[in-house]
Amino acid sequence: MVSATPQELKERIEAGIPKSVAEVTGDGHHFNAVVSAPAFAGLNRIAQHRLVYDVFGAEVGDRIHALSIQTLIPSPTPEEAR
Amino acid sequence: MSDQPSNPMRDAIQEAIDENPVILFMKGNPDAPACGFSARTVAILQSIGARFAAVDILPDPRIRQELSAISNWPTIPQLFVGGELIGGCDIISEMYESGELFETLGLKPADAEPEQVVATAGRPAAPLSIENRL
């Protein structure tokens, strides 16, 4: 079992959640992810964090021992706000 | 979350969630948390004078397995209020910092006092050990 890297987690989050931007730090077991995604809008925190956890399924708690999450909703760009 | 014919562990967890207004599933117990995330969550709850029941998930791996199946949440700790999952360490920390946690727990900031954690009634025969220090 290859240990996970922050880069791997970042790429998988960004691939799994449309238009998301993730910053991930970690030591191979404990990770901290700050994720910004338009998909979080209108969801409560539980639902927002679930979107991130769902990217990794059963790996959370196992291969990815711990994953701290902070979710952000990006402010719409002037073009999107129109 | 289908109805299994017989799943005493899942039933016991669901009952504990239903019967305790505020219940924390954690690693270790409030006096001796066995994980930094559980320790931090307990410290926050205690610092605002919240009363909560606590279940140590470590004694039996099925507790965590069934809890996560019920809550659809992979990590520990998990705080339930009024039968609903509020969150783990990250969310509780955020809600504490924003002040929302007081409202969620039905407390006013003025209630915050260094009160010891108190648990609500547990069920002695259940396969879960619920901290009860009322």
Side-chain angles (χ1 to χ4, degrees):
Chain A
M1 193 165 72
V2 183
S3 64
T5 64
Q7 185 61 27
E8 180 205 322
L9 267 61
K10 172 187 165 65
E11 287 168 6
R12 289 176 63 188
I13 292 168
E14 291 179 347
I17 304 175
K19 294 184 186 173
S20 65
V21 177
E23 281 181 33
V24 183
T25 55
D27 60 6
H29 302 282
H30 296 78
F31 295 93
N32 197 17
V34 181
V35 185
S36 169
F40 296 148
L43 302 179
N44 65 21
R45 284 199 190 83
I46 289 281
Q48 292 174 359
H49 286 221
R50 270 193 191 123
L51 282 183
V52 181
Y53 283 136
D54 285 349
V55 171
F56 303 105
E59 289 171 70
V60 174
D62 183 31
R63 177 167 174 261
I64 301 166
H65 178 75
L67 176 60
S68 282
I69 298 171
Q70 190 192 345
T71 48
L72 304 168
I73 299 166
S75 24
T77 61
E79 210 157 294
E80 286 167 341
R82 239 172 254 154
Chain B
M1 222 165 78
S2 61
D3 282 328
Q4 301 288 330
S6 174
N7 191 331
M9 180 60 83
R10 186 172 298 196
D11 294 347
I13 292 168
Q14 188 63 58
E15 247 175 58
I17 292 169
D18 292 342
E19 292 179 2
N20 293 281
V22 184
I23 184 166
L24 179 70
F25 292 85
M26 62 178 292
K27 294 182 181 178
N29 62 62
D31 288 333
C35 161
F37 300 107
S38 289
R40 178 153 181 214
T41 305
V42 165
I44 288 172
L45 292 174
Q46 290 179 339
S47 77
I48 63 173
R51 291 161 175 261
F52 61 99
V55 174
D56 181 1
I57 61 111
L58 292 176
D60 186 334
R62 289 176 305 163
I63 302 176
R64 177 174 185 162
Q65 197 183 317
E66 296 300 334
L67 173 64
S68 287
I70 289 170
S71 63
N72 186 25
W73 193 258
T75 54
I76 303 293
Q78 296 184 21
L79 181 72
F80 290 79
V81 176
E84 247 183 76
L85 177 66
I86 299 301
C89 183
D90 298 328
I91 290 177
I92 302 306
S93 300
E94 270 184 41
M95 291 177 76
Y96 172 66
E97 280 156 25
S98 71
E100 282 166 85
L101 192 57
F102 287 102
E103 199 183 324
T104 300
L105 294 172
L107 299 168
K108 290 182 182 134
D111 290 342
E113 54 188 67
E115 191 185 347
Q116 262 308 303
V117 54
V118 182
T120 53
R123 297 173 72 85
L128 291 178
S129 155
I130 302 176
E131 290 283 319
N132 184 352
R133 275 175 285 155
L134 263 179

